Amino acid sequence: MKKVLSLLLIIMLLCTVVITGCSNDGGDTADPTGGDNTSKDYLDDIAIAEVNQADKYRNYYQIWIGSFCDSNNDETGDIQGIISQLDYLNDGDPETDTDLGVNGIWLSPMMPSVSYHKYDVTDYYNIDEEFGTLEDFDQLIAECNKRGIRVVIDLVLNHISSRHPWFAKACEEVKAGNFDGYAKYFEFVKSNTMPGEGYRQVSGSDDLWYEGNFTYEMPDWNLSSEATREEFKKISKFWLDRGVSGFRLDAVKYFTNDHTDSVEFLEWYCSMCREIDPDVYIVGENWVGTGEIYETYKSGIDSQFAFKFGNTDGTFIMTAKSGNLGKKTINQMKRNIENIKENNPDAINAWFLTNHDMTRSANALKKLADRKMAAALYLLSPGCTFTYYGEELGIAAPNTTNDASYRTPMVWDSENLPDIYVPGVDGVEAPEQGGVKQQLENEDSLLNFYKRVFKIKNQNPEIARGTITDTVEFDDNAVGAYYVEYEGSKLLIIHNTATDSEKTLTITESIMKNSAIRGDLIAGDPATDAEGNTVKQEITLQDGQLVMPAQSTVILKAE
Ligand code: CA
């Protein structure tokens, strides 16, 4: 008991540190739902599943470091800022539900770079001084380990910065006719005309070119060169030895050229990393059609982002807006997973709504109910999920004309907006429901909805880890249902995406015998009765009759 008490004291002390640690946080997070809440007994009765620390199935949270939390008031978010907010993401204690419930982080680029976005790296073995030091990073990893949070870092293997000393040396060498020195790391071509799309002229020469698919400042690495691969091995080992759990590989689409095949390269890269750490998790940003994504899974890569389903015109957001889920979309999702597994049986799909390269989901989803519905749709899909910071608050981009506007500061407290610099964006606007502090206190907030989804996911490991074994058709275009099965345990997930109508569905014995509600989510707004009073919506299951309010989700399991 003494031990428990002192542990509690330590946790309380830690909480105090956290609240004062970031200048923009504050407030009591002890009772987020304000007493009379929506949670049902079973949410409290069901334990959070204890998953293996090496398990790759995670609720990831994408952090744009410069915009997340600024610990030293220099108008740039930093690693100490992230550390100060880890208890918001996951406090490591399954008994509490004041935290979001994610158990993985994807960190945007953090290595030294001259650009704001830091996707052009000048040193692969350090932390940009704007964000902190390697010691700060080691501390972050240690704090994440305490909380069971795995850290995946952005790794840019397609290109480098033109300011990297190796590229400057390579340019001097090729101008002197030497293509065997540093030039081996890059894609130099001697030609009187432009050798192909994406090539740039070497400064101070008439007939020397290098591949640089993005800009002059980002020369492409030569991914077929033995020298490059030796260097990539060193870089990957350096970070895996420091405790990262894996990598988010940037710009996979551009890996292929006339002498590099991205599948061959990724096959080499993934097996090389697995020799260093057998549990490494690698997720690729391959912004192409589904056919090419399936092909790339042949490399053995763990995950690739499901671009067809994400983005503001993707399946999840369009379905939440239209209320038209139906069997077609569910079957599409089922086939998508099957096609991936056919090419790599161990593959894990990576679902998301939006990321740092897209207009924010809140710009496309104007209604709170639609934002909640979209969250239920993607977060309950089997595989890993990636939530872009601030998406759980409904942060919208102030405009859609520059990329930086998708990366505005995290709003911890809407009454105390952060002073963080974002290029081309003046001032910060708070989401309609306020920041973290305000939304924790609001039972109907988007944030509390996200917390509930993550809690249900963490209680039911079948959701992330299972495969869709079959679908159920209810003859209703707004209703979609599928079974997920994992280690002999079977769940039935049913979404009613209709924006304005309650559905009564018959759960026959052949659909699921002795079924009971294992989790419920109501995205739709509360109804009003004849007197104009708010009526709490509820999902009920009695004598095989399942009543689902507009925009709701239920998870059933046989008792
Ligand atoms: Ca700072």
Side-chain angles (χ1 to χ4, degrees):
M1 194 62 194
K2 241 182 189 169
K3 215 172 172 186
V4 174
L5 276 175
S6 52
L7 195 71
L8 272 173
L9 265 171
I10 290 170
I11 290 168
M12 283 168 71
L13 273 171
L14 274 174
C15 289
T16 316
V17 171
V18 166
I19 286 161
T20 52
C22 188
S23 57
N24 297 312
D25 192 14
D28 180 14
T29 59
D31 187 11
T33 50
D36 179 28
N37 58 42
T38 54
S39 57
K40 292 197 171 175
D41 288 345
Y42 54 79
L43 272 182
D44 296 325
D45 289 347
I46 301 167
I48 301 287
E50 278 183 38
V51 294
N52 182 345
Q53 285 296 302
D55 192 315
K56 294 182 184 182
Y57 291 84
R58 299 272 151 172
N59 313 318
Y60 278 98
Y61 188 86
Q62 183 191 352
I63 295 179
W64 190 261
I65 304 172
S67 293
F68 195 61
C69 182
D70 175 14
S71 70
N72 60 351
N73 295 314
D74 66 354
E75 298 185 12
T76 302
D78 43 57
I79 290 173
Q80 284 298 336
I82 299 172
I83 293 171
S84 75
Q85 297 297 349
L86 284 180
D87 280 347
Y88 164 68
L89 300 179
N90 192 328
D91 64 8
D93 181 357
E95 299 295 317
T96 63
D97 60 2
T98 48
D99 51 345
L100 188 55
V102 296
N103 46 21
I105 294 174
W106 153 23
L107 290 179
S108 59
M110 61 185 189
M111 297 167 198
S113 167
V114 290
S115 67
Y116 140 79
H117 54 71
K118 311 212 185 292
Y119 276 104
D120 43 350
V121 178
T122 55
D123 177 2
Y124 281 82
Y125 300 94
N126 215 331
I127 302 286
D128 193 290
E129 60 182 13
E130 284 195 333
F131 295 161
T133 63
L134 282 171
E135 287 67 38
D136 293 326
F137 186 77
D138 292 343
Q139 193 189 336
L140 173 68
I141 294 287
E143 291 299 323
C144 285
N145 286 342
K146 281 185 205 165
R147 294 164 174 82
I149 300 172
R150 280 169 60 111
V151 178
V152 164
I153 61 168
D154 223 308
L155 190 58
V156 191
L157 299 182
N158 180 66
H159 50 269
I160 191 171
S161 167
S162 59
R163 312 267 187 107
H164 192 289
W166 289 12
F167 186 70
K169 280 181 189 162
C171 286
E172 288 315 306
E173 286 177 2
V174 293
K175 280 195 268 188
N178 173 14
F179 285 77
D180 289 328
Y182 283 96
K184 283 191 295 189
Y185 293 108
F186 309 105
E187 300 278 10
F188 285 102
V189 175
K190 196 172 165 70
S191 167
N192 288 320
T193 54
M194 188 174 167
E197 211 183 312
Y199 277 82
R200 320 274 173 175
Q201 207 152 18
V202 174
S203 159
S205 92
D206 294 331
D207 57 355
L208 291 167
W209 305 78
Y210 61 92
E211 192 187 4
N213 275 300
F214 286 88
T215 67
Y216 275 97
E217 288 79 27
M218 299 183 187
D220 282 25
W221 284 93
N222 178 353
L223 301 181
S224 291
S225 144
E226 279 309 309
T228 302
R229 293 190 181 192
E230 246 342 277
E231 185 60 20
F232 283 4
K233 189 176 171 180
K234 267 177 69 186
I235 294 166
S236 306
K237 186 169 177 358
F238 177 83
W239 292 105
L240 289 169
D241 286 351
R242 275 209 122 80
V244 308
S245 297
F247 305 106
R248 176 265 185 192
L249 298 184
D250 181 58
V252 167
K253 175 184 169 180
Y254 297 96
F255 286 4
T256 297
N257 64 14
D258 58 7
H259 59 271
T260 298
D261 171 55
S262 66
V263 175
E264 185 276 329
F265 171 77
L266 284 167
E267 199 172 354
W268 167 80
Y269 184 76
C270 294
S271 53
M272 180 274 289
C273 283
R274 283 178 194 133
E275 277 175 31
I276 302 167
D277 175 3
D279 297 323
V280 65
Y281 174 70
I282 299 169
V283 51
E285 181 219 15
N286 197 12
W287 201 338
V288 291
T290 44
E292 281 173 77
I293 284 186
Y294 299 150
E295 189 63 24
T296 308
Y297 269 112
K298 288 184 175 147
S299 66
I301 193 168
D302 294 296
S303 294
Q304 293 174 85
F305 293 108
F307 280 95
K308 181 187 165 60
F309 292 82
N311 213 341
T312 48
D313 59 356
T315 309
F316 294 129
I317 286 180
M318 295 310 278
T319 301
K321 274 166 84 165
S322 66
N324 203 352
L325 179 61
K327 61 181 181 187
K328 196 176 148 220
T329 309
I330 294 289
N331 279 321
Q332 208 176 54
M333 187 194 287
K334 182 171 178 278
R335 269 200 312 277
N336 186 272
I337 298 169
E338 286 164 356
N339 285 331
I340 288 169
K341 299 264 188 196
E342 236 167 67
N343 290 295
N344 172 11
D346 298 324
I348 304 165
N349 212 342
W351 311 98
F352 70 106
L353 281 188
T354 61
N355 63 30
H356 61 284
D357 286 326
M358 297 169 180
T359 307
R360 276 189 172 271
S361 56
N363 291 79
L365 298 165
K366 304 286 183 203
K367 295 177 189 155
L368 176 63
D370 294 354
R371 290 175 189 173
K372 289 179 178 173
M373 193 70 238
L377 289 171
Y378 90 96
L379 293 174
L380 296 176
S381 300
C384 286
T385 57
F386 287 76
T387 301
Y388 186 44
Y389 81 96
E391 198 151 62
E392 76 277 24
L393 304 176
I395 288 181
N399 60 60
T400 53
T401 53
N402 78 344
D403 286 357
S405 69
Y406 315 146
R407 307 159 191 169
T408 55
M410 179 68 175
V411 179
W412 300 100
D413 177 357
S414 47
E415 283 159 21
N416 184 14
L417 289 171
D419 195 9
I420 282 180
Y421 170 73
V422 181
V425 178
D426 290 327
V428 180
E429 245 180 76
E432 295 92 332
Q433 292 189 303
V436 171
K437 185 185 172 193
Q438 289 72 27
Q439 295 205 25
L440 282 174
E441 289 160 1
N442 174 0
E443 183 187 334
D444 291 322
S445 69
L446 185 59
L447 173 56
N448 274 322
F449 187 86
Y450 266 83
K451 278 170 53 186
R452 190 172 172 86
V453 185
F454 286 129
K455 183 163 186 181
I456 291 171
K457 272 187 90 175
N458 293 336
Q459 288 173 330
N460 299 282
E462 300 93 334
I463 296 172
R465 292 157 186 81
T467 41
I468 298 184
T469 48
D470 208 351
T471 59
V472 183
E473 287 168 25
F474 285 101
D475 199 26
D476 188 317
N477 275 338
V479 177
Y482 56 93
Y483 297 102
V484 284
E485 281 190 63
Y486 173 67
E487 292 186 343
S489 178
K490 187 174 179 177
L491 299 180
L492 175 59
I493 298 176
I494 309 174
H495 298 287
N496 171 19
T497 60
T499 52
D500 54 4
S501 52
E502 181 182 276
K503 307 282 176 186
T504 302
L505 309 170
T506 304
I507 307 299
T508 61
E509 288 208 347
S510 66
I511 292 176
M512 186 170 265
K513 216 174 169 177
N514 298 327
S515 54
I517 295 176
R518 182 80 183 179
D520 60 349
L521 292 155
I522 298 175
D525 297 324
T528 43
D529 62 16
E531 279 85 48
N533 300 314
T534 301
V535 181
K536 195 106 223 156
Q537 309 263 39
E538 207 183 350
I539 295 177
T540 57
L541 176 62
Q542 258 168 356
D543 304 324
Q545 296 301 297
L546 178 71
V547 179
M548 297 184 71
Q551 293 180 298
S552 65
T553 299
V554 70
I555 292 113
L556 301 181
K557 189 175 179 176
E559 269 184 321

